[in-house]
Amino acid sequence: MASGSKRLVECVPNFSEGKRKEVIDAISTAIRDTEGCTLLLVEPEASANRTVYTFVGDPVSIVEGAVNAAKVAHSLIDMRKHKGNHPRMGALDVCPFIPVSDVTMEDCINCSNEFGSRLSKELNVPLYLYEYSCTGGDHRRTLPQIRAGEYEGLKDKIIKSEWTPDYGPAQFVPSWGATVTGARPMLIAYNVNLLGTKQQAHRIALDIREQGRGPDNPGKFKCVRAIGWDLEDKGLSQISINLTDYKTTPIHAAYEECVRIAKDLKLAVVGSEIVGLVPLEAVMLSADYYIQKESLFIYKEEQKIRLVIERLGLSSLSYFNPKEKIIEYCIGSTADGPLVSSSVRDFIESIGSRASTPGGGSASACIASIGSALATMVGLMSYGKREFEGIDGIMRETILPLYDAMEQLIPIIDSDSTAFSSYMDALKMPHSNDEESTKRSLAMQEGLKRAIEVPLGLMRKAHSCWPHLFVLAEHGNKQTMSDLQVSASSLHCGVFGGYCNVLINLKGVTDTQYVTEIRQEVEQILAESQDNSDKVQKLVLKRL
């Protein structure tokens, strides 16, 4: 990030301008030029006459970026001239703040209040707080509630006592309207494309959205808001959906239901689109759905993403680039650490240096990940060929958990080298009086427990591979049995390394119950790991 900070807030301001390139670019520049902010995505839509911007930054920078963008919009957008098919009430219609990493919802509430306070003072415009920032009562908690009546109805609405703005003047500002800001969880803005009319799209929207057609006739899905509109420049209509909790209603659930209803209406759905960014987890939920539904064998992340793009038709209007649309890829949170990214030579030579890290923990994680990788290779070498058709089903069930174990063990190579940092930070805390000494001691104990969690996680994950190695030893390609033997020895070596690291940190923990429970667990894992390694070797030898 531009600021180098790991504390990240996402801001997704929606401006009421989607046609004039010079205005869209000017707002982009204001965000991009704000120190500490990184502009990730700009998505103008001419029919809606609206542009959605997505940028991230630390809690201080993100507010500055939003204020800078709003100032530009204030000078260039006049709501008296605005027309578009998306509901709106202001030049900067809505400006949510969303926690991404190492920040809380409370941090984002503070961001929204700081933004509201500054904008009202600097531009003299009204602002409303919504979602988690709302303080005005349940009748004005959600965006649709506040935006009801839109810009055209704001003049009469804003003077009512129950609609007094949270910030700024309680009067209509014709050129601006009003802005809604607040803190909310990650929301997915999702549109399903329909070869039909606006009215038909809205009919489907009413069927799927939580509100439905009213209190007595709710829609099918929880945490879904939806309306129908035309995309005149594209020659189709859209069911415009906000998924406010993608775990409650995943993307694929909304899409499949739209397809089903459209089919009953003799209408065609022609793909869909995601506006803004989408969490990787949401894409993986849809991938798992289609993999299970169609009995597919797909285990690599990039292949799962491609499956979702194809099944949902996410590139039907414009190319869906995962690197630009999936938030973890945009902010680099899926990037490998420095050790994993280094060459084999550099990694080994760094272990062989005078530095204390990387050490035995990182080496153990590397060896264990190699063990699971070798087992994965044996599974793949025993799958997909005519001679192995009889065991295809067995291999499918075996390869996936081994591949997942490999993917989860690799990051531990880096995380082990930093696992002790919390304890070292605690050592530096002041301890000149009893209160400071108590805080320092508690922090040291928490630091030690965190340092234990990493090698303990290594042991648990490596240990989970054994049942699958047994299957490979009995059914796998005979030509790969030597690789399986190395795999078994590597996994056990990784377990032993994790065991040693747990014990050395456990010595400093004063919580006797915790010490007893952890010691019992790791000793059991180590003993079983040795037995399992021996068992694999014996099974292999019987087949050779």
Side-chain angles (χ1 to χ4, degrees), residues 222-481:
K222 299 289 186 182
C223 304
V224 171
R225 299 167 186 163
I227 60 173
W229 63 35
D230 280 324
L231 281 186
E232 296 174 359
D233 57 326
K234 302 289 195 306
L236 48 80
S237 62
Q238 282 188 326
I239 304 130
S240 178
I241 304 166
N242 279 346
L243 301 171
T244 59
D245 184 343
Y246 63 82
K247 294 179 183 178
T248 299
T249 300
I251 302 171
H252 61 267
Y255 179 77
E256 293 293 335
E257 184 64 11
C258 288
V259 171
R260 186 192 67 78
I261 299 172
K263 186 176 180 180
D264 290 343
L265 297 174
K266 310 299 184 189
L267 300 172
V269 166
V270 286
S272 61
E273 65 174 349
I274 290 172
V275 181
L277 301 181
V278 60
L280 178 62
E281 182 185 32
V283 179
M284 291 297 103
L285 285 173
S286 293
D288 291 341
Y289 167 79
Y290 287 110
I291 288 169
Q292 183 175 358
K293 178 184 178 182
E294 301 173 29
S295 299
L296 303 174
F297 181 60
I298 300 174
Y299 58 94
K300 289 188 175 182
E301 186 171 281
E302 61 268 28
Q303 293 177 336
K304 291 183 178 182
I305 293 170
R306 183 165 184 175
L307 174 70
V308 173
I309 293 172
E310 293 298 323
R311 293 295 182 270
L312 298 180
L314 292 178
S315 291
S316 57
L317 292 182
S318 60
Y319 174 59
F320 182 95
N321 186 343
K323 292 181 180 179
E324 296 177 353
K325 296 291 289 183
I326 295 176
I327 189 167
E328 288 85 351
Y329 293 173
C330 289
I331 66 176
S333 64
T334 60
D336 291 328
L339 295 178
V340 173
S341 299
S342 66
S343 68
V344 175
R345 172 178 289 277
D346 288 344
F347 177 59
I348 294 173
E349 288 183 348
S350 65
I351 292 176
S353 70
R354 290 176 61 87
S356 59
T357 58
S362 293
S364 299
C366 180
I367 293 168
S369 64
I370 290 172
S372 57
L374 281 168
T376 302
M377 182 198 77
V378 172
L380 290 170
M381 294 290 287
S382 310
Y383 171 81
K385 296 180 181 179
R386 183 179 294 275
E387 61 185 295
F388 300 122
E389 281 183 349
I391 59 171
D392 269 5
I394 295 173
M395 288 301 109
R396 285 189 177 204
E397 295 178 0
T398 302
I399 294 167
L400 288 175
L402 289 170
Y403 181 85
D404 288 343
M406 177 189 74
E407 289 291 298
Q408 292 175 47
L409 285 166
I410 290 172
I412 298 178
I413 298 171
D414 276 287
S415 59
D416 185 88
S417 66
T418 59
F420 210 57
S421 59
S422 295
Y423 176 75
M424 297 304 293
D425 289 342
L427 281 177
K428 299 173 185 177
M429 292 175 64
H431 52 285
S432 57
N433 55 52
D434 289 345
E435 183 179 355
E436 289 181 347
S437 295
T438 300
K439 288 183 179 179
R440 179 174 179 267
S441 296
L442 289 173
M444 289 168 59
Q445 288 299 304
E446 286 301 312
L448 284 172
K449 288 182 179 180
R450 289 181 185 177
I452 287 168
E453 287 173 2
V454 174
L456 180 59
L458 160 62
M459 293 184 69
R460 288 168 174 166
K461 183 49 60 178
H463 193 57
S464 71
C465 295
W466 292 118
H468 310 297
L469 264 71
F470 298 155
V471 172
L472 293 174
E474 291 184 7
H475 302 285
N477 185 342
K478 286 186 178 182
Q479 301 302 316
T480 62
M481 287 299 99

Side-chain angles (χ1 to χ4, degrees), residues 133-281:
S133 300
C134 173
T135 58
D138 288 340
H139 72 286
R140 49 193 279 177
R141 185 170 300 278
T142 69
L143 182 57
Q145 288 173 324
I146 298 173
R147 203 161 53 191
E150 298 189 42
Y151 170 80
E152 288 75 12
L154 184 59
K155 183 177 181 180
D156 295 327
K157 182 177 181 178
I158 199 169
I159 60 176
K160 297 179 180 179
S161 59
E162 65 269 28
W163 288 106
T164 300
D166 292 285
Y167 291 100
Q171 62 186 47
F172 183 52
V173 180
S175 62
W176 182 265
T179 294
V180 183
T181 185
R184 63 162 172 79
M186 188 71 68
L187 172 150
I188 299 175
Y190 179 60
N191 299 330
V192 177
N193 307 322
L194 184 72
L195 294 180
T197 66
K198 170 185 176 180
Q199 291 75 20
Q200 289 168 325
H202 192 63
R203 177 176 175 180
I204 297 175
L206 294 174
D207 286 340
I208 67 169
R209 69 185 189 181
E210 182 171 4
Q211 178 186 353
R213 290 173 169 80
D216 297 329
N217 191 10
K220 179 164 185 176
F221 294 120
K222 299 289 186 182
C223 304
V224 171
R225 299 167 186 163
I227 60 173
W229 63 35
D230 280 324
L231 281 186
E232 296 174 359
D233 57 326
K234 302 289 195 306
L236 48 80
S237 62
Q238 282 188 326
I239 304 130
S240 178
I241 304 166
N242 279 346
L243 301 171
T244 59
D245 184 343
Y246 63 82
K247 294 179 183 178
T248 299
T249 300
I251 302 171
H252 61 267
Y255 179 77
E256 293 293 335
E257 184 64 11
C258 288
V259 171
R260 186 192 67 78
I261 299 172
K263 186 176 180 180
D264 290 343
L265 297 174
K266 310 299 184 189
L267 300 172
V269 166
V270 286
S272 61
E273 65 174 349
I274 290 172
V275 181
L277 301 181
V278 60
L280 178 62
E281 182 185 32

Side-chain angles (χ1 to χ4, degrees), residues 89-106:
M89 65 186 293
L92 169 49
D93 189 53
V94 60
C95 187
F97 295 89
I98 304 148
V100 175
S101 66
D102 201 27
V103 292
T104 64
M105 190 63 73
E106 188 65 33

